[in-house]
Amino acid sequence: MKILKLSALAAAIVAATTSYTTPVQAESFIDDSSLQLHLRNVYFNRDGRTSQNRFDNREWGQGLMLNYSSGYFADIIGFDMSYFGGVKLDDPGTNFTNFSRRDSEQDGIDSISKIARAFVKAKVGDDNMNLNAIYGRVGMGTNLLMTSGSRLLPSSFKGGMIEANLYGAKFYVNRVTEISERDGSSFDDFGNNVDYVNTFGGSYEFDNGFGFALDYGSSDDFLEQTFAKIYYTLDLGNDTSLYLEANKQWSEEDGDNFSPSGYDSSYTNYNAELSGGPITISLSHSRIGSDDFQYSWDGDKDYGPISAWTSRNWSDFNFENEKTWQVAFSYDFSDIGIPGLSLDTAYTYGYDIDDRGDTRRDSEWERGSNIKYSFQDTMLKGLSVRWNNWTYRGNTLAGDTNGNRIYIDYKIDLL
């Protein structure tokens, strides 16, 4: 019913707009439209290695995302819509991989089907000064509010966002009131009685490579967060550059919905990345404040990733007082005649964790790699295969854990 109301609203806006447009203006709505079919096949395997957490999760699924994006009537208004569907192909053992959720009887749900994205969009202005707005079922990708795409299908929000650009200075404000989790078909309220999440922020990058960003957000009587980032890119010549970044995220309880009261922590992250031709090497360091760092806006359903570089695979390295070092390496094999093949690998070590009375270890480590190949042949353009392999030893959800994920993505432009 909500989708019908949204579609009716979009149709009314389109009808009203086209009544004042020329045929040429109306044609841009069709000519600038796109329709893409995205097929995703995902296999997950995770096994627990501690005596308290012996498990072997294996899950295999096929997803489909049909994404339509319109042009703009009179260069002002349009709409986008996406259908997400997924089917479980295999699911032996205990399932907590968030492919498709389990019901109250702990039986797996075999499929997901939903209109995941459906929103009206509008824009005004030129290249130097412009305003863009969306409202409906949307994806988000800001520093403090992100949809999660690490499973079979991405999550979605119901809400809206306004973005403004003023001679290179970028500003945004958004508000979301419902979430469709990555493992479900419905749009639901947030957990812990959170009715909404509001965030806003801005950023600017100077011509010399220096830039900064500042974001603030709050969820209904639950949590407030602030994110600040400064960065600088130094051109070293000979196709070589050095990128430096420092960011910090503050998080504290903001009302009666959060428990326990008095929560206050931070996540500080420093990064350096050297890129030269096909090789990229990075070094990262993180420090956590006086509590385990909480970044989920409702502590329950919001699975958006954290902004720190040290969060890659299984652990976010966000325990109380934890200090983390990470070294990472990536290589583009096109330099040796294999275009489309890439590798990235990282090792992360966290220490000085508050053991909370010897109930958890004071350190953790993780190593992980991604090997990806994007097919270059014209007939297979849009097809890619990625293997994610990682090993974790330490404190998080299931203790010592090994993991393998295989993603096969095929994107086909239909329009």
Side-chain angles (χ1 to χ4, degrees):
M1 184 60 71
K2 292 182 179 178
I3 289 297
L4 292 176
K5 290 181 179 178
L6 181 60
S7 300
L9 174 61
I13 294 173
V14 167
T17 305
T18 52
S19 65
Y20 295 100
T21 60
T22 67
V24 174
Q25 289 174 319
E27 284 176 6
S28 65
F29 176 83
I30 301 297
D31 294 342
D32 295 335
S33 294
S34 65
L35 179 65
Q36 183 186 77
L37 174 63
H38 181 179
L39 301 174
R40 165 171 273 199
N41 189 279
V42 183
Y43 174 75
F44 266 43
N45 180 286
R46 289 195 303 224
D47 61 287
R49 295 302 184 95
T50 60
S51 58
Q52 302 91 336
N53 292 285
R54 290 286 183 184
F55 59 86
D56 183 12
N57 299 137
R58 284 165 288 153
E59 195 159 15
W60 181 30
Q62 177 64 52
L64 178 152
M65 290 162 272
L66 188 62
N67 303 308
Y68 171 74
S69 179
S70 79
Y72 287 85
F73 281 104
D75 204 31
I76 294 175
I77 196 163
F79 72 91
D80 290 4
M81 182 175 291
S82 297
Y83 169 78
F84 290 178
V87 60
K88 180 177 59 181
L89 302 177
D90 193 19
D91 179 19
T94 304
N95 168 24
F96 59 96
T97 58
N98 298 107
F99 263 38
S100 56
R101 68 181 56 167
R102 293 194 165 233
D103 59 23
S104 59
E105 303 297 324
Q106 291 302 301
D107 292 324
I109 297 174
D110 292 332
S111 63
I112 301 171
S113 180
K114 59 186 172 184
I115 301 297
R117 310 282 164 84
F119 58 87
V120 177
K121 60 185 181 181
K123 65 173 186 174
V124 293
D126 54 29
D127 290 341
N128 293 321
M129 299 177 61
N130 55 70
L131 196 67
N132 298 270
I134 58 173
Y135 179 77
R137 296 184 171 186
V138 299
M140 290 290 180
T142 65
N143 289 319
L144 288 178
L145 186 64
M146 311 175 201
T147 48
S148 174
S150 63
R151 297 301 191 271
L152 189 64
L153 298 168
S155 56
S156 299
F157 295 106
K158 178 184 177 183
M161 179 165 69
I162 298 173
E163 297 176 290
N165 176 40
L166 180 61
Y167 291 95
K170 299 178 181 180
F171 307 93
Y172 78 90
V173 58
N174 59 37
R175 178 183 177 93
V176 295
T177 56
E178 293 180 2
I179 184 171
S180 180
E181 297 179 74
R182 56 194 181 183
D183 60 350
S185 298
S186 60
F187 277 77
D188 305 304
D189 294 336
F190 289 96
N192 289 308
N193 298 313
V194 172
D195 291 331
Y196 61 81
V197 179
N198 296 331
T199 69
F200 62 89
S203 63
Y204 187 79
E205 183 173 319
F206 296 90
D207 293 337
N208 64 359
F210 176 78
F212 65 90
L214 182 64
D215 302 73
Y216 172 81
S218 63
S219 54
D220 180 26
D221 276 339
F222 189 79
L223 195 70
E224 67 174 3
Q225 299 187 70
T226 303
F227 176 85
K229 177 176 75 173
I230 58 172
Y231 61 91
Y232 179 67
T233 302
L234 178 62
D235 186 353
L236 301 176
N238 297 320
D239 196 27
T240 303
S241 63
L242 177 64
Y243 176 81
L244 303 173
E245 178 187 306
N247 66 68
K248 186 163 187 172
Q249 191 166 334
W250 295 265
S251 177
E252 62 180 301
E253 60 95 1
D254 188 37
D256 296 336
N257 290 332
F258 192 96
S259 179
S261 62
Y263 164 78
D264 187 356
S265 191
S266 62
Y267 201 135
T268 306
N269 186 215
Y270 304 100
N271 308 291
E273 182 178 80
L274 179 65
S275 301
I279 297 175
T280 300
I281 301 172
S282 67
L283 180 68
S284 300
H285 177 61
S286 294
R287 290 172 174 262
I288 304 301
S290 57
D291 279 304
D292 290 357
F293 186 76
Q294 163 73 33
Y295 58 88
S296 171
W297 284 113
D298 65 349
D300 183 18
K301 298 180 179 181
D302 173 24
Y303 289 100
I306 199 169
S307 295
W309 289 27
T310 44
S311 173
R312 281 179 172 255
N313 296 293
W314 182 239
S315 177
D316 290 322
F317 292 86
N318 60 336
F319 289 106
E320 182 177 351
N321 294 323
E322 183 171 13
K323 302 175 183 64
T324 302
W325 287 96
Q326 179 187 92
V327 60
F329 169 85
S330 65
Y331 186 76
D332 182 352
F333 286 84
S334 60
D335 191 61
I336 58 172
I338 314 177
L341 181 63
S342 63
L343 164 72
D344 73 76
T345 185
Y347 177 81
T348 311
Y349 178 70
Y351 59 98
D352 280 355
I353 298 171
D354 188 325
D355 63 10
R356 297 192 173 179
D358 202 29
T359 60
R360 61 188 188 189
R361 303 177 198 171
D362 62 2
S363 66
E364 58 177 338
W365 63 265
E366 177 183 276
R367 61 171 179 257
S369 299
N370 286 281
I371 299 175
K372 181 178 180 180
Y373 182 70
S374 298
F375 287 81
Q376 304 297 298
D377 185 88
T378 303
M379 294 296 294
L380 296 176
K381 201 73 173 178
L383 176 63
S384 65
V385 180
R386 178 166 66 96
W387 174 34
N388 171 232
N389 169 265
W390 49 267
T391 300
Y392 172 82
R393 296 294 181 265
N395 284 301
T396 59
L397 298 177
D400 297 348
T401 310
N402 293 348
N404 287 281
R405 306 176 184 182
I406 298 175
Y407 300 86
I408 302 175
D409 290 280
Y410 195 15
K411 298 179 181 179
I412 307 169
D413 292 328
L414 303 177
L415 183 64

